[in-house]
Amino acid sequence: MSWYRNTVWFVKGLREYTRAGYESASRHFNPADVEVDVAGRSFLVTGANSGIGKATAKEIARRGGTVHLVCRNKERAEVAKEEIVTETGNQNIFLHIVDISNPKEIWKFAEKFRNEHKLDVLINNAGCMVNNRELTEDGLEKNFATNTLGTYIMTTALLPLLEKAADARVITVSSGGMLVQKLNISDLQSGSGPFDGTMVYAQNKRQQVVLTEQWAKAHRNIHFSVMHPGWADTPAVRSSMPDFYKRMKNSLRTEAQGADTVLWLAVSAEASKLPSGSFFQDRQPVPTHLPLAYTHSPPEDEEKLMQMLEEFSQKFKSVSPG
């Protein structure tokens, strides 16, 4: 069945995920949706020093928002911050150096952030695709640590702050690649069988969809969404998927086109009217499963994922400073 999923997904991608797909979809966009003033609202963007994260942060800054950039690399982050401030004239841009693959760092950051700032919108954009099985200093598989556990801890640690905000939102940047994966809770760290970084990444992205759906049920006063940016020309795609990039580079979306739906979900009034927990592509909620792909999971597996991640997260919280 995996060949069917992969083939259907790729054909769908050629039609919808490329620059041409964006240009076709954007004919139906209402420009007024994102022509808004968000001064006084606070946004946190992870992985904000390049690609879709930086493009999103820049557009929010243009609209007057206070933007917290959460980045791993201090040098690149400072360059990105300077670029955003210079291009937008917005001085309310703050930098935080955090490695999203390090759960102890995330807990420490979130605890400090909760005491010092307010937060209206969290954008979980940081991610990685490591093509060989690599462990972090905590013994966690790197993709899982960053894409799934890092997203889980950042979100749950900041929920108390978001609960205080009016019109609070959490947006997670996922991938259409999750359509080829059924949730697998038996091997979260990809320790058995051959390691395929692309499929591990796709599994992590399926996990993000499940997280979003579960959070939406549990926290009714926060609007949760997860989205696919399409196939965009970003540094991450170039470095992690060189063969795909070489084949598709003339058809890829720009970073701004990839970031468009993230921005729309973050600032537009229209987005918050749509059901919380939805998966979005080009400003529209879309199905989270391909037809006949058999990727649906039993509810008990989805609940078990949340339980397992909570256990992981608490283990690292107990040894964090603060």
Side-chain angles (χ1 to χ4, degrees):
M1 185 51 68
S2 62
W3 65 267
Y4 166 80
R5 292 178 202 155
N6 291 344
T7 302
V8 172
W9 172 77
F10 191 72
V11 170
K12 179 182 176 68
L14 289 174
R15 185 177 68 246
E16 298 177 19
Y17 301 164
T18 56
R19 190 186 315 129
Y22 174 83
E23 288 166 353
S24 174
S26 66
R27 294 188 197 114
H28 306 287
F29 293 172
N30 179 1
D33 283 358
V34 294
E35 289 172 3
V36 293
D37 182 351
V38 292
R41 282 179 67 75
S42 176
F43 300 77
L44 188 154
V45 186
T46 67
N49 67 287
S50 68
I52 286 164
K54 185 171 80 171
T56 302
K58 193 179 290 184
E59 290 305 316
I60 291 169
R62 283 192 214 285
R63 289 157 177 79
T66 296
V67 186
H68 295 273
L69 313 175
V70 173
C71 307
R72 181 171 54 89
N73 184 291
K74 190 170 189 290
E75 267 181 39
R76 290 203 297 263
E78 286 173 346
V79 170
K81 176 187 171 181
E82 185 60 35
E83 181 185 320
I84 292 168
V85 170
T86 301
E87 288 192 23
T88 67
N90 186 338
Q91 299 294 322
N92 293 318
I93 313 298
F94 301 94
L95 188 55
H96 311 271
I97 305 304
V98 185
D99 182 349
I100 302 296
S101 74
N102 185 322
K104 294 188 287 289
E105 267 191 40
I106 302 171
W107 275 119
K108 184 180 178 183
F109 159 75
E111 287 160 6
K112 186 171 187 287
F113 190 90
R114 284 202 310 257
N115 291 328
E116 296 177 357
H117 303 282
K118 67 168 219 164
L119 183 63
D120 298 290
V121 180
L122 168 62
I123 299 171
N124 290 309
N125 166 73
C128 71
M129 185 193 293
V130 179
N131 289 310
N132 297 301
R133 193 169 190 273
E134 183 182 318
L135 300 184
T136 69
E137 63 182 47
D138 297 303
L140 299 169
E141 190 278 314
K142 188 79 174 278
N143 295 291
F144 166 77
T146 307
N147 303 325
T148 302
L149 186 60
T151 297
Y152 179 86
I153 295 176
M154 182 65 78
T155 304
T156 53
L158 293 175
L159 280 173
L161 205 51
L162 289 158
E163 294 276 8
K164 298 175 185 174
D167 189 19
R169 306 182 189 193
V170 175
I171 300 137
T172 299
V173 178
S174 182
S175 166
M178 66 90 194
L179 291 167
V180 305
Q181 286 284 309
K182 178 179 179 177
L183 178 66
N184 176 14
I185 58 169
S186 67
D187 188 21
L188 289 182
Q189 300 205 63
S190 310
S192 61
F195 186 89
D196 181 334
T198 305
M199 288 300 106
V200 170
Y201 176 83
Q203 173 65 209
N204 296 161
K205 295 300 172 177
R206 169 61 71 186
Q207 291 160 0
Q208 290 179 342
V209 169
V210 173
L211 289 180
T212 300
E213 292 169 345
Q214 294 295 310
W215 282 326
K217 290 177 192 173
H219 303 277
R220 301 286 184 175
N221 58 333
I222 300 173
H223 190 273
F224 290 88
S225 57
V226 61
M227 59 79 67
H228 175 38
W231 294 341
D233 187 348
T234 65
V237 168
R238 282 174 237 145
S239 63
S240 301
M241 305 174 70
D243 293 341
F244 173 81
Y245 176 74
K246 190 174 179 182
R247 190 164 73 247
M248 297 297 299
K249 63 182 179 182
N250 294 326
S251 303
L252 298 178
R253 299 179 177 202
T254 65
E255 292 174 346
Q257 289 170 342
D260 176 82
T261 295
V262 190
L263 176 70
W264 181 81
L265 287 165
V267 307
S268 79
E270 293 307 305
S272 61
K273 295 175 186 174
L274 294 163
S276 182
S278 299
F279 179 68
F280 288 85
Q281 175 188 314
D282 291 331
R283 304 193 189 183
Q284 291 290 326
V286 294
T288 55
H289 301 276
L290 294 168
L292 307 175
Y294 301 102
T295 49
H296 292 270
S297 303
E300 54 267 30
D301 280 9
E302 298 181 354
E303 290 161 13
K304 179 68 173 172
L305 173 68
M306 303 302 283
Q307 182 188 328
M308 293 169 80
L309 292 176
E310 181 62 16
E311 288 168 5
F312 264 116
S313 73
Q314 290 301 319
K315 181 172 73 168
F316 291 105
K317 184 181 184 182
S318 65
V319 295
S320 70

